[in-house]
Amino acid sequence: MGKDYYKILGVERGASEAEIKKAFRKLAHKYHPDKNGGNEKKFKEISEAYATLGDKKKRQQYDITGGASAGGFGNSNGFGGFDFSDFARQSGGFGGAGTQGFEFDLGDIFGGMGGFSREKRGRDIQMDLNITLSEAILGVDKTIAINKDSECKACQGTGAKGGDTAKCGKCHGEGSIKQVRRTPFGTINMQEPCPNCEGLGEVPKEKCKECAGKGSYKQSTEIEVKIPAGIQSGQGVQIHGAGEPSKGGTPGDLIVRVHIDVPSRLNKKQKEAIENLKKVGL
């Protein structure tokens, strides 16, 4: 018996595609390794579960076999023995006469996770911070105030009044829509994020008045920054998840660039102390 992917995602076996997708996004947001309190092992586990349950064919196979052989690809080349040269020959080859009327779906080839999809992530922010020479030598904890886009507390970042959302009518809760592209290889169906719901599959029943449905707004936020002892001027301190938020995704990071204020006039003892610090690499 394999892993219980339904239990990992916290859904019932009869859960709909939309419920599975919603459960995955919630857990991915919670355990993403780039977020404070994230868990890389847990994130990989839920991603593996969604890779199977989020794909109709793999889910059907999983339900039949109980997970004994479902999920992943059975070949080291990553495509389970799928031969693109055979695929091309059966279709008349790429660029030849056989390509007329030739159509394939990249979403079907690369599976339910969408071979080209990437989790939404907020923008990273960079700021400068001046500290004294003694603070650089000994290390210091700083509380800084920064004016940035932060998650709306009234709607918890959903953009919906009271957090109440409804299934998107344009993509029917899938979060993506198919776009047809005509290329020299034939007609290709591409999965693209739904512009109406920004790929979330849900829209506000009523927009939050605090953030006008954006899910965030500019506000002054205090952030604790731990400056390690021995930091050098120009080095940065990265604070995961303290950047700008992303609706339905993970927030970016804050990079604090440190600049050391060195006194212009130093006495003999101060100069000797600095020389000694240089010798030990500080």
Side-chain angles (χ1 to χ4, degrees):
M1 185 69 178
K3 296 180 181 179
D4 189 340
Y5 288 150
Y6 291 99
K7 186 176 181 180
I8 290 171
L9 292 181
V11 296
E12 299 293 332
R13 286 192 168 268
S16 66
E17 291 179 25
E19 288 172 333
I20 289 172
K21 183 179 290 186
K22 185 176 182 180
F24 167 70
R25 284 177 173 159
K26 182 180 179 180
L27 292 172
H29 181 74
K30 180 179 180 180
Y31 293 112
H32 195 282
D34 289 341
K35 185 177 179 181
N36 285 335
N39 186 316
E40 185 176 0
K41 183 179 179 181
K42 191 74 176 177
F43 182 76
K44 287 181 178 178
E45 188 177 48
I46 61 176
S47 296
E48 177 187 333
Y50 182 67
T52 295
L53 300 186
D55 181 280
K56 290 181 180 179
K57 294 179 181 177
K58 290 181 184 177
R59 183 181 180 182
Q60 185 178 29
Q61 182 186 0
Y62 175 82
D63 288 340
I64 294 172
T65 63
S69 59
F73 299 104
N75 197 309
S76 60
N77 63 13
F79 295 100
F82 184 85
D83 191 333
F84 279 93
S85 60
D86 287 342
F87 179 74
R89 284 194 295 272
Q90 292 166 10
S91 307
F94 292 134
T99 58
Q100 294 181 357
F102 164 53
E103 178 177 328
F104 65 96
D105 191 331
L106 287 178
D108 289 340
I109 293 175
F110 290 100
M113 286 293 286
F116 304 105
S117 64
R118 178 176 291 182
E119 186 183 5
K120 293 175 65 178
R121 188 174 182 275
R123 187 174 67 91
D124 290 339
I125 301 174
Q126 183 171 310
M127 65 166 292
D128 296 316
L129 177 66
N130 286 12
I131 62 174
T132 66
L133 181 61
S134 61
E135 287 174 336
I137 294 170
L138 301 174
V140 65
D141 291 340
K142 289 278 190 179
T143 300
I144 60 174
I146 181 171
N147 192 39
K148 69 180 185 73
D149 267 349
S150 297
E151 187 177 275
C152 176
K153 294 181 176 62
C155 66
Q156 298 181 324
T158 63
K161 182 179 179 180
D164 292 331
T165 59
K167 184 185 291 186
C168 174
K170 188 174 181 66
C171 65
H172 307 291
E174 292 297 318
S176 62
I177 56 175
K178 284 188 177 182
Q179 294 286 349
V180 177
R181 296 282 187 269
R182 297 197 178 277
T183 74
F185 303 110
T187 302
I188 302 176
N189 291 328
M190 300 287 290
Q191 290 277 359
E192 295 184 355
C194 174
N196 187 50
C197 64
E198 300 178 65
L200 299 177
E202 299 175 341
V203 293
K205 288 184 178 179
E206 184 180 345
K207 286 186 177 181
C208 172
K209 293 181 179 179
E210 293 292 324
C211 63
K214 186 182 176 184
S216 63
Y217 58 88
K218 288 280 186 185
Q219 51 186 299
S220 181
T221 306
E222 288 192 344
I223 299 173
E224 297 291 328
V225 183
K226 187 175 183 65
I227 307 297
I231 194 169
Q232 297 183 15
S233 192
Q235 287 186 325
V237 176
Q238 186 172 15
I239 305 169
H240 293 296
E244 293 193 346
S246 172
K247 191 192 292 186
T250 58
D253 297 336
L254 172 64
I255 296 93
V256 178
R257 194 71 57 188
V258 172
H259 302 280
I260 302 171
D261 292 329
V262 180
S264 57
R265 293 183 179 180
L266 300 173
N267 59 40
K268 185 178 179 181
K269 288 186 177 180
Q270 288 173 329
K271 289 179 180 178
E272 288 176 353
I274 289 176
E275 290 302 317
N276 289 331
L277 289 172
K278 287 181 179 179
K279 289 177 183 179
V280 295
L282 298 179

